[in-house]
């Protein structure tokens, strides 16, 4: 059956379509120039198993910039995929049509397909979805799956933004995973990288002006969003968003490092992406969320768009790393590098009390300047800010990939989990966090070019030395680094892990089943010494209260006494004894070192937000 192939190559004087897996023996079909730098040709790809490539002005074979499948690697010809032929069921857990998960009901679980299971595939990951549904999360955020060189990697060096990485199972397997997640009542967000491509297999610059030297990023030239030829580049990225949300039925996208999308146009690309997602949501009746990773601490990112262009970008959520940093310093005491700013005692009380940004127009010693802007939670409600105790960045970019709970007691880990999961912000977990996984999560690659691999080795060693982390950094190219980073699924049921899992489950299920208005709003935060070398922390907001003791001297038999507000004990970890009244009480909580108790008021009003 004939298929029309298209390519935007505005500087080419001749373009050939190459049909076949071997470009040297491919059937060559001349393409016809149309308008705006586009070329077209009709041909039957079936005799060639759908494989094809392009040759510009007699040059070497190049994969399709819009390729949806690179079965033989990112340097090889592309293969056609009919995403409309996926066998979607689109059923929710009750058998009815999938209704989606709005941003205000999100509790996110970030996972990396290649290390989530030993098999490292979508189909294997789908077998663990029941665990996530039972845990109480509502959204699975999948780290980048765009095709990248080799078999193993984080995914942020992808070079084929439309193609699903073949070692994970390819496009059909990804569709099966999304469909299975919906069947368990879980939305799926995908982490996408639009701000750069990886260094190996990046052929976009040979096809058209996809990059510009007018702006620069940590990875080199910026994507061309506002220079000559940028109309088609913007369309390339907007069509990518539409493909994921419509053809793959995804519920949302996490947009990597949007501060590196340099765009001086009056209408920013992110605003156009948000409008596109809103249009798809309105047409399909399923919420579609775009969540930005941004280091600007600017609430305008998630402020609604307004007629006449006076509003914000209109994205649906954004990461709030200040919450992570403040909790990390509170729990570990680390204060080197960018953590130095968060050694300020006000940092934890700020992010737990009333703002996701500690730097909201305040001076940052790490940056050497004022940073951020104040947040008005009446304009941008708390659930628009995604907070975490661990993420792939904050774990994997440590020298040995150690998780926060590897350096603190289980009780202190539980305190951090309770602070995050009872806060007003949208919570996000990193895979394995819920049971205190013993496995690290390290940086790994599978580059063919030794010069590139060695450059990465040396760069990471120097970076960690500058942060004061000595010792040997795991070799990213060593297969053992991948193996060490893969979750051990025998752990959740083991002693020492099962209790933490139960604690997370209790808090996540409460969050899932509680109407948003009963866990929203500002909190009162009290923090002070306990008189024995430790400190106590009390956080109360409408509907929920938390009492914790961090550290402390030798544990007296009856613990450290704290007045307890009225409420029902939802969850506790460590040495906790409640005096007076049993489950319903307004008495006293006696806490040993690194212990925590969470209480909830009778929700009564409304119905569970499920």
């Amino acid at each position: 059956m004939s298929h029309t192939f298209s390519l935007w190559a505005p500087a080419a004087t001749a373009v050939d379509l190459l049909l076949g897996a071997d470009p040297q023996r491919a059937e060559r079909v001349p393409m016809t120039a149309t308008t705006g730098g586009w070329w077209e040709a009709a041909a039957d790809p079936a005799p060639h198993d759908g494989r094809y490539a392009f040759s510009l002005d007699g040059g070497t074979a190049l994969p399709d910039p819009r390729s949806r499948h690179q079965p033989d690697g990112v340097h090889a010809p592309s293969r056609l995929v009919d995403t409309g032929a996926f066998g979607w069921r689109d059923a929710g857990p009750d058998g009815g049509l999938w209704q989606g998960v709005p941003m205000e009901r999100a509790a996110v679980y970030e996972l990396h397909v290649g290390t989530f299971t030993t098999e490292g595939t979508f189909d294997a990951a789908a077998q663990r979805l029941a665990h996530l549904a039972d845990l109480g999360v509502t959204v699975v955020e999948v780290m980048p799956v765009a095709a990248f060189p080799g078999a193993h990697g984080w995914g942020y060096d992808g070079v084929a933004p439309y193609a699903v990485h073949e070692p994970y199972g390819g496009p059909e397997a990804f569709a099966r995973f999304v469909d299975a997640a919906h069947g368990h009542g879980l939305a799926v967000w995908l982490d996408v990288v639009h701000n750069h491509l990886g260094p190996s297999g990046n052929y976009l610059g040979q096809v058209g002006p996809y990059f510009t030297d007018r702006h620069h990023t940590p990875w080199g030239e910026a994507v061309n969003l506002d220079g000559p030829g940028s109309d088609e580049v913007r369309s390339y990225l907007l069509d990518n968003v539409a493909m994921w949300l419509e053809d793959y039925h995804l519920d949302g996208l996490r947009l990597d490092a949007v501060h590196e999308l340099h765009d001086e146009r009056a209408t920013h690309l992110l605003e156009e992406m948000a409008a596109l997602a809103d249009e798809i949501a309105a047409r399909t009746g399923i919420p579609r969320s775009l969540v930005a990773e941004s280091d600007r601490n600017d609430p305008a990112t998630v402020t609604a768009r307004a007629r006449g262009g006076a509003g914000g970008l209109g994205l649906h959520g954004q990461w709030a790393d200040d919450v992570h940093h403040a909790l990390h310093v509170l729990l570990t005491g680390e204060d080197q590098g960018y953590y130095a700013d968060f050694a300020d005692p006000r940092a934890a009380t700020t992010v737990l009390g009333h703002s996701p940004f500690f730097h909201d127009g305040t001076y940052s010693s790490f940056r050497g300047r004022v940073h951020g802007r104040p947040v008005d939670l009446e304009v941008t409600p708390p659930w628009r800010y995604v907070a975490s105790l661990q993420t792939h960045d904050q774990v994997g970019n440590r020298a040995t990939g150690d998780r926060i709970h590897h350096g603190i007691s289980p009780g202190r880990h539980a305190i951090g989990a309770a602070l995050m999961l009872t806060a007003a912000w949208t919570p996000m977990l990193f895979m394995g966090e819920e049971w205190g996984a013993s496995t690290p999560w390290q940086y790994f690659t599978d580059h063919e070019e030794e010069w590139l691999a060695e450059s990465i080795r040396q760069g990471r060693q120097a970076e960690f030395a500058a942060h004061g982390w000595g010792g040997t950094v795991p070799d990213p190219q060593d297969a053992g680094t991948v193996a060490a980073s893969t979750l051990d699924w025998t752990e959740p049921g083991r002693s020492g892990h099962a209790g933490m899992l139960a604690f997370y489950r209790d808090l996540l299920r409460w969050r899932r089943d509680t109407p948003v208005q009963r866990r929203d709003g500002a909190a009162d935060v009290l923090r002070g010494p306990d008189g024995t070398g430790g400190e106590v922390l009390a956080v109360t907001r409408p509907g929920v209260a938390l009492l914790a003791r961090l550290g402390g001297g030798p544990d007296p038999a009856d613990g450290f006494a704290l007045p307890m507000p009225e409420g029902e004990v939802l969850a506790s970890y460590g040495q906790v004894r409640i005096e007076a009244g049993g489950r319903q009480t307004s008495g006293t909580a006696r806490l040993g070192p690194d212990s925590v108790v969470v209480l909830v008021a009778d929700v009564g009003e409304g119905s569970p937000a499920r």
Side-chain angles (χ1 to χ4, degrees), residues 56-68:
L56 278 61
D57 297 323
T60 58
L62 301 175
D64 186 354
R66 292 174 179 250
S67 168
R68 300 198 177 194

Side-chain angles (χ1 to χ4, degrees), residues 395-465:
V395 175
N397 283 320
R398 294 174 67 84
T400 60
D402 51 311
R403 298 167 180 262
I404 189 173
H405 56 261
H406 292 166
I408 58 177
S409 70
R412 194 161 286 219
H413 174 195
I415 293 171
L419 291 170
M420 177 190 65
L421 294 174
T422 60
W425 327 122
T426 291
M428 185 179 76
L429 285 63
F430 182 59
M431 62 179 197
E433 170 186 336
E434 71 272 25
W435 71 74
S438 64
T439 50
W441 203 72
Q442 299 168 342
Y443 185 73
F444 44 86
T445 58
D446 190 22
H447 292 301
E448 298 175 357
E449 302 90 345
E450 180 56 30
W451 67 266
L452 180 56
E454 184 59 27
S455 174
I456 292 172
R457 290 188 192 102
Q458 294 181 8
R460 290 183 71 80
Q461 190 76 49
E463 177 185 353
F464 295 134

Side-chain angles (χ1 to χ4, degrees), residues 230-244:
S230 60
D231 287 352
E232 288 294 348
V233 178
R234 294 167 78 95
S235 293
Y236 177 79
L237 298 179
L238 289 166
D239 290 349
N240 184 258
V241 169
M243 180 197 73
W244 293 123

Side-chain angles (χ1 to χ4, degrees), residues 302-329:
V302 290
T303 301
R305 301 183 311 280
R307 293 181 180 178
L313 295 174
L315 293 174
H316 309 92
Q318 72 177 105
W319 279 24
D321 278 348
D322 281 15
V323 179
H324 169 275
H325 300 342
L327 290 179
H328 188 92
V329 174

Side-chain angles (χ1 to χ4, degrees), residues 110-474:
E110 184 188 27
L111 67 83
H112 175 266
V113 176
T115 51
F116 187 56
T117 65
T118 302
E119 298 86 348
T121 64
F122 292 117
D123 288 338
Q127 298 303 309
R128 299 294 180 181
L129 291 171
H131 165 85
L132 301 184
D134 180 68
L135 179 63
V137 297
T138 58
V139 175
V140 180
E141 180 176 303
V142 180
M143 287 176 60
V145 302
F148 56 84
H152 309 295
W154 281 17
Y156 295 95
D157 55 358
V159 292
Y162 281 68
V164 177
H165 194 50
E166 182 67 8
Y168 294 163
E172 290 87 354
F174 187 34
R176 289 194 298 270
F177 175 84
V178 175
D179 207 32
H182 290 171
H184 284 282
L186 299 167
V188 182
W189 296 350
L190 176 65
D191 194 340
V192 294
V193 182
H194 290 147
N195 49 48
H196 76 286
L197 269 66
S200 177
N202 178 1
Y203 298 106
L204 283 187
Q206 298 182 40
V207 178
Y210 284 89
F211 302 95
T212 176
D213 60 4
R214 295 179 62 249
H215 308 290
H216 291 273
T217 74
W219 312 283
E221 291 185 336
V223 176
N224 177 22
L225 300 178
D226 55 12
S230 60
D231 287 352
E232 288 294 348
V233 178
R234 294 167 78 95
S235 293
Y236 177 79
L237 298 179
L238 289 166
D239 290 349
N240 184 258
V241 169
M243 180 197 73
W244 293 123
L245 297 183
E246 297 194 271
D247 294 358
Y248 284 91
H249 294 205
L250 290 175
D251 303 276
L253 301 174
R254 182 262 193 187
L255 308 176
D256 181 68
V258 299
H259 47 276
E260 297 297 348
L261 291 170
H262 299 283
D263 184 4
E264 295 181 359
R265 294 200 191 193
T267 302
H268 197 284
L269 174 70
L270 292 173
E271 185 177 345
E272 293 190 64
M273 286 182 172
L276 174 61
D278 288 345
E279 185 276 323
I280 294 172
R283 175 160 41 82
T284 61
I286 297 174
R288 314 286 180 161
S289 301
L290 299 187
V291 179
E293 179 198 23
S294 172
D295 73 350
R296 292 194 182 107
N297 280 22
D298 186 358
T301 304
V302 290
T303 301
R305 301 183 311 280
R307 293 181 180 178
L313 295 174
L315 293 174
H316 309 92
Q318 72 177 105
W319 279 24
D321 278 348
D322 281 15
V323 179
H324 169 275
H325 300 342
L327 290 179
H328 188 92
V329 174
L330 172 70
L331 298 171
T332 69
E334 291 186 8
D335 60 1
Q336 73 271 31
Y338 53 77
Y339 287 133
D341 286 345
F342 298 88
D344 187 324
R346 296 171 299 173
T349 55
T350 296
V351 302
L352 293 172
H354 63 271
S355 174
F357 301 149
F358 174 55
H359 289 306
D360 59 357
T362 58
Y363 183 79
S364 164
S365 62
F366 177 72
R367 293 177 175 84
R369 61 173 174 81
V370 168
H371 183 62
R373 180 187 292 184
V375 174
D376 184 342
L377 296 179
E378 295 295 323
V379 176
T380 56
W383 46 263
R384 293 207 181 276
Y385 300 93
V386 179
S388 59
L389 189 62
Q390 303 183 42
T391 71
H392 76 272
D393 265 332
Q394 304 300 337
V395 175
N397 283 320
R398 294 174 67 84
T400 60
D402 51 311
R403 298 167 180 262
I404 189 173
H405 56 261
H406 292 166
I408 58 177
S409 70
R412 194 161 286 219
H413 174 195
I415 293 171
L419 291 170
M420 177 190 65
L421 294 174
T422 60
W425 327 122
T426 291
M428 185 179 76
L429 285 63
F430 182 59
M431 62 179 197
E433 170 186 336
E434 71 272 25
W435 71 74
S438 64
T439 50
W441 203 72
Q442 299 168 342
Y443 185 73
F444 44 86
T445 58
D446 190 22
H447 292 301
E448 298 175 357
E449 302 90 345
E450 180 56 30
W451 67 266
L452 180 56
E454 184 59 27
S455 174
I456 292 172
R457 290 188 192 102
Q458 294 181 8
R460 290 183 71 80
Q461 190 76 49
E463 177 185 353
F464 295 134
H467 276 80
W469 290 328
T472 301
V473 178

